[in-house]
């Protein structure tokens, strides 16, 4: 079979060792690496239909995979006013005022990426923005995507004028008089007001997703572990692939919410394996808690406000039973667990599922997402139970501070804040560490994620001191966290994560070696080529 893609004059980087292979050329046929060798040997595999690229000494790695992202939700959420660059309340007010001037009467204002640290010691509520948003229906999503601020007009249009009761952890935050402050915690509360806002059409949402995925490919991403499958997500992926416009390989995990009955579990199990050539439903996503910044995480001891004391599942043992049922069916689980109590309960549940065994569970490799603070005695259990540690180092870089004056650290106190994003400790304890962005919570460019794992400094202020420098990964470990780690987490180490004959033709090409590029300069390293299944999905004009 003639090759579909041939790369010549390349430096082929092995993420297992950090060394270059002796070969200088690579061919892909039928979506798989079919040959490694010298330029003359591999060029002979090309015909008139082959894409042949002389890389001039550029560095090729296995395709970079984001271990945790939300493509559809992110594409929709990041359409609006970007507030992520606002460092204080005045900057937020100025940005909102500029946006308001562009609106027609009755238009809704949508903002995203709001950092709760802009409020300092003040309560997170809309009062600070009321003069700017007078009469304007506005929804301002906080950076964690687990909460939002709704303006008085938005609350009025949604008919939300007091507290509400929900079946899961969620809250319409109210003052002592029972009036909403504008802060809505978790999806069920946010949805009350979101439903009142005009919604984009199906076609508009699909176009937003297509644009976002093309941006990911240009950043060097060849794959992603998509941690949701809600709404029209799967239909979008199928349509984009049918049109030849899906530039990223996706492993999709639908959600299992509290209260899931046996029928719902059977439907999730039956859905496994469904998909297309580049996207597939594999695994189930669960939530054990919310976020520390919101006071909705699950901590072994409440935070400084007396919050973050409860699990997302009203009865945590129901979660344990669900994990056991999915394990017996051979379905891997991915559990959002940020607080120490949430992480411990998730580990306990996997341990119980493994002990009970039965069914097809031997094939299920479970994982925990985020792991923002974890005690010493939990570290070794990840390796013992073969639970993947899926982490997002840029969250530590950009949303916390080395001096612990940020909202996250203040809520936790010194002892727990010192256990922030323990990438190094988990790695040294033998865990499989997978790196990702959790986009849209943080930007998706994978070089920035790898850089953050190495320097642990704010991406907008690289001269600031690092938060927990002892938890930094090496350059090679960071690369492994986006190549070998995701492959193992998906049970695909036999066909992904390496440059080897028979492995997938998912490739990322850089202008220079990412292992020797300084961490603070890594995000600017040019991505020259991205290929998925041997098909270029991004090509730099210089090639």
């Amino acid at each position: 079979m003639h090759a579909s893609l041939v790369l010549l004059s390349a430096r082929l980087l092995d993420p297992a060792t950090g060394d270059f292979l002796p070969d200088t050329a690579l061919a892909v046929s039928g979506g798989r690496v079919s040959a490694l060798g010298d330029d003359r040997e591999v060029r002979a595999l090309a015909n008139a239909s082959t894409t042949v690229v002389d890389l001039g000494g550029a560095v090729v790695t296995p395709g970079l995979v984001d271990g945790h992202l939300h493509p559809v939700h992110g594409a929709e959420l990041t359409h609006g006013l970007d507030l992520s660059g606002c460092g204080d309340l005045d900057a937020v007010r100025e940005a909102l005022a500029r946006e308001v001037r562009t609106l027609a009467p009755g238009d809704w204002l949508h903002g995203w990426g709001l950092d709760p640290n802009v409020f300092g010691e003040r309560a997170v509520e809309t009062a600070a923005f009321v003069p700017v948003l007078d009469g304007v229906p506005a929804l301002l999503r906080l950076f964690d995507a687990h909460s939002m601020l709704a303006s008085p007009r938005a609350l009025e249009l949604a008919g939300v004028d007091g507290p509400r009761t929900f079946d899961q952890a969620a809250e319409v935050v109210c003052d002592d008089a029972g009036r909403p402050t504008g802060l809505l915690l978790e999806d069920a509360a946010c949805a009350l007001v979101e439903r009142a806002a005009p919604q984009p059409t199906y076609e508009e949402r699909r176009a937003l997703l297509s644009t976002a995925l093309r941006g990911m490919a240009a950043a060097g991403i060849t794959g992603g572990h998509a941690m949701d499958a809600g709404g029209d997500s799967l239909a979008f992926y199928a349509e984009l692939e049918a049109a030849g416009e899906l530039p990223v390989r996706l492993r999709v995990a639908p959600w299992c919410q509290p209260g899931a009955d046996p029928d719902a579990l059977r439907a999730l199990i039956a859905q496994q394996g469904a998909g297309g050539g580049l996207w597939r439903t594999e695994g189930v996503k669960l939530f054990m808690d919310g976020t520390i910044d919101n006071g909705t995480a699950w901590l072994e001891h409440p935070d400084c406000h007396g919050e973050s004391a409860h699990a997302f599942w009203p009865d945590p043992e129901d979660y344990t039973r669900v994990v056991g049922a999915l394990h017996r069916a051979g379905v891997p689980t991915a559990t959002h667990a940020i607080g120490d109590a949430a992480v411990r309960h998730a580990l306990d549940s996997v341990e119980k599922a493994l002990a009970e065994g039965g069914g097809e569970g031997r094939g299920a490799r479970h994982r925990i997402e985020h792991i923002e603070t974890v005690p010493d005695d939990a570290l070794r259990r990840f390796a013992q139970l073969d639970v993947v540690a899926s982490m997002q180092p840029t969250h530590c870089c950009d949303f916390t501070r080395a001096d612990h004056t940020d909202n996250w650290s203040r809520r936790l106190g010194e002892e727990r804040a010192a256990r922030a994003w323990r990438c190094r400790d988990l790695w040294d304890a033998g865990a499989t560490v997978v790196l990702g962005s959790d986009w849209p919570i943080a930007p998706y460019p994978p070089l920035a994620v790898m850089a953050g794992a190495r320097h642990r400094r704010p991406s907008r202020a690289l001269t600031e001191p690092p938060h927990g420098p002892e938890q930094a990964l090496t350059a090679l470990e960071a690369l492994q966290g986006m190549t070998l780690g995701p492959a193992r987490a998906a049970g695909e180490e036999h066909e992904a994560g390496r440059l080897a004959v028979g492995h997938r033709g998912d490739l990322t090409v850089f202008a220079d070696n990412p292992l020797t590029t300084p961490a603070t300069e890594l995000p600017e390293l040019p991505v020259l080529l991205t290929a998925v299944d041997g098909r270029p999905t991004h090509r730099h004009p210089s090639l």
Side-chain angles (χ1 to χ4, degrees):
M1 181 183 297
H2 285 288
S4 60
L5 176 67
V6 164
L7 302 181
L8 305 172
S9 302
R11 289 185 286 166
L12 306 178
L13 183 59
D14 181 4
T17 65
D19 298 327
F20 290 112
L21 300 177
D23 309 292
T24 61
L26 174 152
V28 179
S29 304
R32 302 277 172 164
V33 176
S34 55
L36 296 169
D38 62 33
D39 285 14
R40 181 186 57 80
E41 294 169 334
V42 175
R43 187 188 291 274
L45 302 175
N47 66 4
S49 64
T50 304
T51 299
V52 179
V53 184
D54 188 319
L55 294 179
V59 175
V60 182
T61 70
L64 300 186
V65 176
D66 189 311
H68 185 124
L69 43 65
H70 302 272
V72 174
H73 182 53
E76 297 171 8
L77 187 149
T78 56
H79 182 62
L81 177 62
D82 182 0
L83 297 171
S84 62
C86 298
D88 55 38
L89 286 175
D90 285 340
V92 177
R93 293 187 190 101
E94 291 171 8
L96 293 175
R98 287 194 300 270
E99 189 72 5
V100 167
R101 288 194 291 271
T102 71
L103 300 177
D107 282 356
W108 283 65
L109 188 156
H110 292 270
W112 60 277
L114 179 61
D115 186 344
N117 286 302
V118 302
F119 291 89
E121 300 291 339
R122 298 176 54 165
V124 179
E125 56 188 21
T126 52
F129 309 130
V130 165
V132 180
L133 298 175
D134 183 30
V136 176
L139 295 176
L140 311 179
R141 180 77 70 166
L142 274 77
F143 81 85
D144 62 8
H146 283 249
S147 56
M148 66 168 47
L149 288 171
S151 69
R153 179 58 175 158
L155 292 170
E156 179 186 0
L157 291 173
V160 177
D161 56 7
R164 297 290 180 91
T165 300
F166 302 95
D167 293 333
Q168 55 190 243
E171 182 181 1
V172 175
V173 178
C174 296
D175 61 21
D176 293 340
R179 296 184 296 265
T181 67
L183 180 60
L184 307 169
L185 301 178
E186 301 299 335
D187 285 344
C190 296
L192 291 176
V193 185
E194 287 179 304
R195 286 195 291 265
Q199 302 300 314
T201 67
Y202 182 91
E203 291 73 19
E204 289 170 340
R205 293 166 54 233
R206 184 177 58 196
L208 291 171
L209 172 63
S210 180
T211 298
L213 292 175
R214 288 196 303 272
M216 292 178 190
I221 293 176
T222 65
H225 295 176
M227 292 295 166
D228 63 80
D232 299 309
S233 296
L234 303 186
F236 287 156
Y237 299 147
E239 291 175 16
L240 290 174
E241 183 173 41
E245 297 174 4
L246 185 61
V248 174
R249 188 186 302 275
L250 295 170
R251 184 175 190 262
V252 185
W255 286 3
C256 178
Q257 296 277 26
D261 59 20
D263 287 342
L265 287 182
R266 281 191 288 269
L268 286 169
I269 293 167
Q271 191 178 354
Q272 299 299 302
L278 292 178
W279 66 277
R280 190 164 297 276
T281 304
E282 299 283 355
V284 168
K285 169 75 179 298
L286 304 101
F287 291 82
M288 201 64 250
D289 65 352
T291 70
I292 287 166
D293 279 294
N294 278 344
T296 57
W298 186 20
L299 298 171
E300 293 181 338
H301 304 286
D303 67 17
C304 69
H305 299 298
E307 298 176 336
S308 283
H310 304 287
F312 183 71
W313 289 62
D315 180 0
E317 292 309 311
D318 281 343
Y319 162 88
T320 301
R321 286 188 285 272
V322 167
V323 169
L326 293 170
H327 178 78
R328 288 190 296 275
V331 178
T333 62
T335 297
H336 168 121
I338 281 178
D340 46 17
V343 173
R344 191 182 301 281
H345 190 82
L347 290 169
D348 289 345
S349 299
V350 171
E351 184 171 28
K352 183 175 182 180
L354 293 171
E356 293 176 347
E360 303 173 14
R362 285 187 299 274
R365 184 169 289 154
H366 304 285
R367 48 193 285 171
I368 297 179
E369 312 297 313
H370 310 310
I371 318 167
E372 292 185 6
T373 181
V374 61
D376 290 344
D377 63 348
L379 294 170
R380 55 183 172 78
R381 298 182 68 197
F382 281 82
Q384 291 171 345
L385 300 173
D386 197 20
V387 172
V388 172
S390 171
M391 307 187 75
Q392 298 76 45
T394 47
H395 295 197
C396 181
C397 296
D398 291 342
F399 306 132
T400 70
R401 299 171 187 154
D403 63 4
H404 296 171
T405 58
D406 58 280
N407 179 59
W408 185 93
S409 300
R410 289 199 311 271
R411 279 181 173 268
L412 286 179
E414 285 298 313
E415 178 184 353
R416 290 181 296 196
R419 304 196 304 241
W421 285 269
R422 300 179 72 174
C423 298
R424 162 58 50 209
D425 289 343
L426 282 161
W427 194 288
D428 288 348
T432 296
V433 176
V434 172
L435 301 181
S437 64
D438 196 14
W439 187 75
I441 310 308
Y444 56 68
L447 289 174
V449 174
M450 292 161 57
R454 292 166 56 182
H455 63 59
R456 294 175 69 96
R457 299 174 186 270
S459 58
R460 294 187 296 271
L462 291 171
T463 59
E464 293 292 318
H467 189 167
E470 72 282 357
Q471 295 300 332
L473 299 181
T474 68
L476 179 58
E477 290 164 346
L479 177 62
Q480 291 172 344
M482 302 201 81
T483 51
L484 296 172
R488 188 174 189 280
E492 298 172 344
E493 55 264 56
H494 63 290
E495 62 176 349
R498 300 284 300 274
L499 297 177
V501 172
H503 277 48
R504 287 174 179 159
D506 297 354
L507 310 165
T508 307
V509 180
F510 303 103
D512 205 347
N513 187 351
L515 301 185
T516 57
T517 302
T520 55
E521 299 174 14
L522 187 62
E524 306 308 316
L525 181 63
V527 177
L528 301 183
L529 183 75
T530 311
V532 174
D533 237 22
R535 176 175 65 91
T537 54
H538 160 72
R539 187 167 178 173
H540 194 274
S542 65
L543 287 182

